[in-house]
Amino acid sequence: MAFPEPYYVKTNGIDMAVYEQGPKDGVPVVLCHGFPELAYSWRHQLPALAKAGFRVIAPDQRGYGNTVGPKGPEAVPLYDMKHLTDDLAGMLDALGLEKAIFAGHDWGGIVVWQMALRHPDRVSGVIGVNTPFMPRSPIDPIEGMRAVFGEDMYIVFFQKYGEADALLDKDVARSMRFWYRKSGMTLAEFDARPASEKNLAFLKGFAADESLWPGKVLLNEEELAYYTAAFRKSGFTGGINWYRNFSRNWKDSEGLVEKVSVPSLMISAADDIVLRPSMADGMERFVPDLEKHVIPECGHWTQAEQPEALNRLMTDWLKRRFG
């Protein structure tokens, strides 16, 4: 089945591109992507969940793909968590929906867990794909990452406005081939490497010859062309701006009650070196109604690396809890 064409809804000051499959009267499931992803990143999940009877809604989120976000350095605060979650609440308003189940991968996972805290009346369930619920850090997260990993760690490097953006914008197809790779090693193999090779300085490797990049290319020609066209249109700045709000989100979340009071599913990937399965340990303290699974032989890009396993886990849980 071809990936659907978008329609647009007005929400929170932007025109959001929305891609949808499934019956209009089905229980709504909203799929939220991460970096550098798109609604298209859920291309294997939309038809599977629609076939199971759910109304599946996947937006290009603020600053990505066909959803144009505000531009310029002064617009960085407009990509904070309040805006990202208000965008989704406004999307539900535009679609005439009271509530939805929210599923998110990577940054989208952070957003959907925050939806349950910031807009609890709009959320009937949460699915975290790779991304667990993460309680508020006792210190500014950027300062913590800088202290542990150094300046070259990719999230710390992203804080410098325009630098990573220009690097990735220069050759978008190459950038897509760089990010979208199957995990080149297991988590145990990564952990056995010297500390100097575990500082998550991904963009230092970007400068190397492509033949030296670890892992195998994940995208076929059609998929690479889709991502490349989308990021040539949008650039990378909007997506990277989400990272530039880590400290602002941390300050803004002070006093927020950290309790997810809806049925939740956590699906980890065994070999994701950034969002490792152990990060979900103890989630039950904040998410009491929680079911957890780990997909073996899977790196970071779960929707594309192990689509059948992910579809099976999501569909089974959705049918049991909301069917």
Side-chain angles (χ1 to χ4, degrees):
M1 184 182 293
F3 193 71
E5 290 296 314
Y7 60 86
Y8 292 84
V9 299
K10 292 191 176 298
T11 171
N12 198 26
I14 60 173
D15 292 325
M16 179 173 270
V18 179
Y19 307 74
E20 184 175 326
Q21 284 185 11
K24 291 288 186 184
D25 61 351
V27 174
V29 180
V30 176
L31 305 179
C32 297
H33 65 78
F35 176 88
E37 296 187 287
L38 302 161
Y40 181 74
S41 300
W42 298 100
R43 61 196 173 278
H44 301 294
Q45 285 67 55
L46 264 81
L49 299 182
K51 185 179 179 182
F54 295 93
R55 180 180 179 180
V56 197
I57 300 161
D60 280 343
Q61 290 169 264
R62 179 174 288 245
Y64 282 93
N66 288 309
T67 300
V68 178
K71 306 289 187 183
E74 68 283 355
V76 169
L78 303 180
Y79 290 81
D80 68 1
M81 190 57 66
K82 182 179 189 310
H83 283 85
L84 299 180
T85 53
D86 286 355
D87 288 349
L88 297 175
M91 182 190 74
L92 293 187
D93 291 340
L95 297 178
L97 296 171
E98 181 185 351
K99 291 186 174 188
I101 300 147
F102 284 85
H105 172 256
D106 186 78
W107 251 107
I110 300 177
V111 172
V112 301
W113 292 117
Q114 287 291 310
M115 275 295 293
L117 305 186
R118 294 166 183 262
H119 294 280
D121 56 326
R122 312 307 299 272
V123 178
S124 48
V126 178
I127 302 174
V129 181
N130 295 51
T131 311
F133 179 87
M134 291 177 273
R136 188 176 188 269
S137 166
I139 62 169
D140 181 324
I142 296 299
E143 292 308 314
M145 289 182 230
R146 182 177 281 118
V148 173
F149 297 109
E151 292 291 338
D152 292 332
M153 190 265 196
Y154 75 106
I155 296 175
V156 178
F157 179 55
F158 279 174
Q159 303 308 304
K160 302 169 186 173
Y161 187 89
E163 290 199 23
D165 325 36
L167 192 66
L168 296 172
D169 283 338
K170 187 176 179 181
D171 185 341
V172 175
R174 186 175 190 270
S175 298
M176 291 293 108
R177 291 193 300 271
F178 173 77
W179 288 113
Y180 282 98
R181 307 184 79 80
K182 293 183 181 179
S183 184
M185 65 191 77
T186 66
L187 193 55
E189 288 169 340
F190 177 80
D191 287 341
R193 299 172 79 187
S196 61
E197 297 178 16
K198 294 189 291 186
N199 62 355
L200 305 182
F202 296 139
L203 291 176
K204 290 193 83 173
F206 183 67
D209 186 271
E210 203 168 323
S211 64
L212 301 176
W213 291 349
K216 295 180 180 178
V217 175
L218 183 59
L219 305 177
N220 63 33
E221 287 187 16
E222 178 185 348
E223 293 164 338
L224 177 63
Y226 190 103
Y227 279 107
T228 300
F231 278 92
R232 278 182 181 152
K233 177 179 179 179
S234 68
F236 286 88
T237 299
I240 296 174
N241 281 345
W242 292 31
Y243 290 91
R244 294 179 177 130
N245 280 282
F246 258 115
S247 297
R248 182 174 289 103
N249 294 336
W250 177 73
K251 291 172 185 172
D252 180 55
S253 66
E254 186 173 6
L256 196 63
V257 177
E258 296 188 307
K259 180 73 172 290
V260 176
S261 301
V262 293
S264 300
L265 174 65
M266 181 62 219
I267 302 171
S268 299
D271 296 317
D272 188 336
I273 64 174
V274 176
L275 295 169
R276 47 183 64 213
S278 61
M279 290 172 65
D281 293 348
M283 265 180 68
E284 293 82 356
R285 179 181 161 201
F286 305 95
V287 190
D289 186 352
L290 180 66
E291 184 174 320
K292 292 157 80 172
H293 297 274
V294 178
I295 297 178
E297 298 179 8
C298 187
H300 182 68
W301 309 109
T302 305
Q303 305 104 300
E305 287 188 52
Q306 293 284 3
E308 292 82 8
L310 179 60
N311 294 350
R312 186 169 58 250
L313 288 170
M314 291 178 71
T315 302
D316 173 68
W317 182 81
L318 285 165
K319 283 183 169 180
R320 281 189 284 112
R321 299 307 302 265
F322 299 96

